């Protein structure tokens, strides 16, 4: 069974940092492109970042580029999101999502909540 | 990158069909085949309904179908059921090497 489990969320002050993790199981992690997608309270889905197989291609949304860094460790079946210079508007439920092929996320985790507040 | 444009809400009665539109630009929906649709129930993870504009993953009901014409993609749900009441989002790849979601559509089954 495919499982994606996010962790690392929590309460952080503006300007602070957090590192999110996504632990994958039930499939060959190295064969899949991966994404981070977030949903702010009462808002819609917002794509955050994409990392391809073997980390050959990495892309970011305009609102996080330069502040967030995505990475993966295929040996540990894990993906990470290093979030720096956090802003109040980064408050959201952060999902880890696996792509079936390209930009078509067929499995999602349950999300980890990030709250940026003073 | 602006969000794709979806109607905020649609509604229909059980058994009816509804269509949700998703309008982008020539730099995203029109130019790429990577349009996908997702269903979100409160408190649950998003579910992939459609990928590559028209394809259904295995296990997704054939009541869900999709199409694309120019800058607009569409999701049709036929034979509406109470369990279809949820939020629906479209998504696509863009010329800027980013991905964008629609603003979401709340479906109410009357």
């Amino acid at each position: 069974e495919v499982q994606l489990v996010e962790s690392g969320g929590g309460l952080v002050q503006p300007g602070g940092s957090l590192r999110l993790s996504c632990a994958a199981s039930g499939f060959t992690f190295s064969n899949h492109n991966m994404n981070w997608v977030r949903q702010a309270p009462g808002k819609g889905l917002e794509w955050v970042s994409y990392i391809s197989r073997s980390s050959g291609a990495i892309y970011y949304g305009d609102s996080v580029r330069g502040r967030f860094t995505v990475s993966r460790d295929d040996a540990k079946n894990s993906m990470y999101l290093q979030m720096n210079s956090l802003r109040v508007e980064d408050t959201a439920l952060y999902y880890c999502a696996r792509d079936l092929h390209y930009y078509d996320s067929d499995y999602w985790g349950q999300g980890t909540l990030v709250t940026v507040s003073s | 990158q602006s969000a794709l444009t979806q109607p905020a809400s649609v509604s229909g009665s059980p058994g009816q069909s509804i269509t949700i539109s998703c309008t982008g630009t020539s730099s995203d929906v029109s130019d790429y085949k990577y349009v996908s649709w997702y269903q979100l129930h409160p408190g649950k993870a998003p579910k992939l309904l459609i990928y590559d504009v028209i394809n259904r993953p295995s296990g997704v009901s054939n009541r869900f179908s999709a199409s694309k014409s120019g800058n607009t993609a569409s999701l049709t749900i036929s034979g509406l059921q109470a369990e279809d009441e949820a939020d629906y989002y479209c998504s696509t790849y863009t010329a800027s090497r980013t991905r964008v979601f629609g603003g979401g559509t709340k479906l109410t089954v009357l």
Side-chain angles (χ1 to χ4, degrees):
Chain A
E1 179 193 5
V2 171
Q3 283 198 316
L4 296 169
V5 179
E6 302 93 339
S7 61
L11 175 64
V12 61
Q13 291 189 336
S17 298
L18 274 179
R19 188 190 194 215
L20 305 185
S21 298
C22 170
S25 61
F27 66 101
T28 304
F29 180 71
S30 60
N31 285 352
H32 288 266
N33 304 317
M34 300 291 295
N35 296 263
W36 287 99
V37 178
R38 68 186 182 184
Q39 185 172 29
K43 302 294 185 181
L45 297 176
E46 180 187 10
W47 173 76
V48 173
S49 184
Y50 165 93
I51 184 167
S52 68
R53 295 170 293 178
S54 302
S55 306
I58 290 176
Y59 306 130
Y60 299 97
D62 292 343
S63 61
V64 307
R65 191 177 297 116
R67 300 187 298 122
F68 290 10
T69 302
V70 65
S71 61
R72 64 190 294 164
D73 185 337
D74 290 346
K76 294 184 177 180
N77 292 330
S78 294
M79 177 176 67
Y80 308 98
L81 186 68
Q82 178 65 43
M83 304 187 298
N84 298 330
S85 303
L86 281 162
R87 304 168 180 167
V88 171
E89 54 265 36
D90 293 320
T91 295
L93 185 65
Y94 283 72
Y95 292 104
C96 158
R98 180 190 93 160
D99 277 353
L100 179 62
H101 302 120
Y102 297 99
Y103 311 103
D104 48 6
S105 303
D106 62 341
Y107 281 94
W108 300 62
Q110 290 297 316
T112 186
L113 183 62
V114 172
T115 302
V116 185
S117 175
S118 55
Chain B
Q1 178 67 48
S2 300
L4 304 173
T5 301
Q6 296 182 232
S9 64
V10 297
S11 63
S13 300
Q16 288 186 330
S17 295
I18 62 95
T19 296
I20 299 171
S21 61
C22 169
T23 302
T25 70
S26 58
S27 298
D28 43 60
V29 172
S30 175
D31 262 10
Y32 298 98
K33 72 167 188 173
Y34 302 123
V35 178
S36 53
W37 288 89
Y38 302 86
Q39 178 190 62
L40 271 76
H41 283 112
K44 301 185 85 173
K47 176 182 179 181
L48 176 66
L49 298 175
I50 299 287
Y51 68 96
D52 290 356
V53 180
I54 61 170
N55 296 310
R56 272 189 315 274
S58 62
V60 172
S61 170
N62 59 9
R63 297 187 299 106
F64 295 92
S65 62
S67 62
K68 187 180 81 166
S69 177
N71 296 346
T72 299
S74 299
L75 173 72
T76 298
I77 308 174
S78 58
L80 269 181
Q81 300 178 0
E83 68 212 46
D84 297 331
E85 186 160 295
D87 293 330
Y88 292 83
Y89 291 85
C90 59
S91 174
T92 188
Y93 177 72
T94 81
S96 304
R97 295 184 176 178
T98 61
R99 183 177 179 181
V100 63
F101 282 91
T105 298
K106 181 177 181 60
L107 168 62
T108 301
V109 180
L110 301 170

